[in-house]
Amino acid sequence: MSEPSCATTLEDDRYEIPNYLVADLTKLLTKVAANEGWYRQSWLGVPIWQLPDDLMLLQRIVTAIRPALIVETGTKYGGSALFFASLLELLDLPESRVITVDICETEEARTLLANHRLAGYVQHRLVGSSLDPEVLACVSASVAAAAGPVLVFLDDWHGGEHVLAELQAFAPFVDSDGLLVVADTSFADLAGTPVAPFRSLLHSNPRTAIDTFLNASPAFERTTDFVVGGLSNFADGVLRRCGPV
């Protein structure tokens, strides 16, 4: 086989992966963590399906922006709503509130968020699709009444089309002081593992939804301001407002 000509070599763009060894090991360890420990976590005794590093990431975000309103999709057992409520109390934000949305309400979440000492921070437990007009109208009214930044955390169904529709629906609720966070962008890398066994996740996942959204919505951009390394399921899923919607 002959050596490539100088012209061929010059025309071929250089392609280098920075910190390739660290990047490869991080992806591998994230696969292990997501499959072996993601669903085993708890917050104040309540199951919360997040990696510990991601809970710290969310803590840094809430501490930095001090939101007047946190809107999360995906209630499950209520652990994440309780997590956000406890941060609001620790940050001495007694007027701030949490809205949690899920297409169905578990008995565990219903009991927890009705009786826990911090339940008063949860303004609404909305049962229905996050894209239901009545759900969006309730969120919109709460956003309009909020006297401060809004944090939106999208963490329910992870199919690309659904996440894209959520991004389009919830983006108008976030101003330049708030943030829009999309969970589980790592599903693009986890496809085929036990926690994400569906082949469709290779091409339809939260990361592809963000890419499509950002290509059509220059009002938002990714930010790594709150990312400090570690194992994360959504380190590339933090979006900030940089222009009008």
Side-chain angles (χ1 to χ4, degrees), residues 7-245:
T8 301
T9 303
L10 292 173
E11 290 172 0
D12 187 20
D13 293 333
R14 291 183 64 85
Y15 175 65
E16 297 180 356
I17 303 173
N19 298 319
Y20 68 94
L21 182 59
V22 173
D24 288 347
L25 285 173
T26 299
K27 282 187 177 181
L28 178 62
L29 290 172
T30 299
K31 285 183 179 182
V32 174
N35 278 278
E36 302 300 328
W38 156 73
Y39 54 89
R40 296 178 180 174
Q41 307 303 322
S42 63
W43 183 259
L44 303 181
V46 181
I48 182 169
W49 286 4
Q50 302 292 346
L51 293 180
D53 284 342
D54 283 329
L55 292 178
M56 292 304 296
L57 170 57
L58 291 171
Q59 175 272 142
R60 288 192 292 275
I61 287 172
V62 173
T63 300
I65 71 173
R66 300 177 67 84
L69 182 67
I70 300 173
V71 182
E72 67 156 5
T73 64
T75 308
K76 198 59 176 179
Y77 302 115
S80 53
L82 180 62
F83 170 77
F84 285 128
S86 64
L87 291 182
L88 295 179
E89 183 188 53
L90 287 169
L91 291 169
D92 193 22
L93 297 172
E95 304 303 318
S96 296
R97 291 294 180 266
V98 177
I99 294 177
T100 185
V101 184
D102 208 314
I103 199 165
C104 61
E105 186 177 47
T106 64
E107 182 60 38
E108 292 90 340
R110 182 183 301 112
T111 300
L112 173 75
L113 299 179
N115 300 302
H116 196 276
R117 182 180 67 81
L118 298 175
Y121 281 92
V122 182
Q123 184 178 31
H124 296 295
R125 305 191 325 266
L126 302 179
V127 181
S129 168
S130 58
L131 301 174
D132 187 295
E134 292 185 2
V135 168
L136 291 172
C138 181
V139 173
S140 180
S142 295
V143 169
V150 174
L151 169 63
V152 172
F153 182 53
L154 302 178
D155 188 24
D156 52 6
W157 180 247
H158 297 314
E161 290 185 0
H162 176 77
V163 177
L164 177 58
E166 281 191 319
L167 283 165
Q168 294 165 339
F170 284 83
F173 300 143
V174 178
D175 64 16
S176 59
D177 294 322
L179 288 171
L180 179 55
V181 182
V182 182
D184 294 334
T185 54
S186 65
F187 270 38
D189 304 318
L190 296 176
T193 67
V195 75
F198 305 108
R199 185 179 296 274
S200 62
L201 287 169
L202 286 169
H203 55 80
S204 177
N205 54 66
R207 185 175 295 154
T208 62
I210 292 175
D211 290 341
T212 301
F213 173 72
L214 293 180
N215 285 336
S217 306
F220 281 84
E221 62 183 5
R222 282 188 173 95
T223 177
T224 58
D225 287 351
F226 307 97
V227 178
V228 296
L231 304 180
S232 172
N233 273 329
F234 51 88
D236 61 344
V238 184
L239 310 180
R240 64 181 173 192
R241 181 88 167 265
C242 57
V245 175

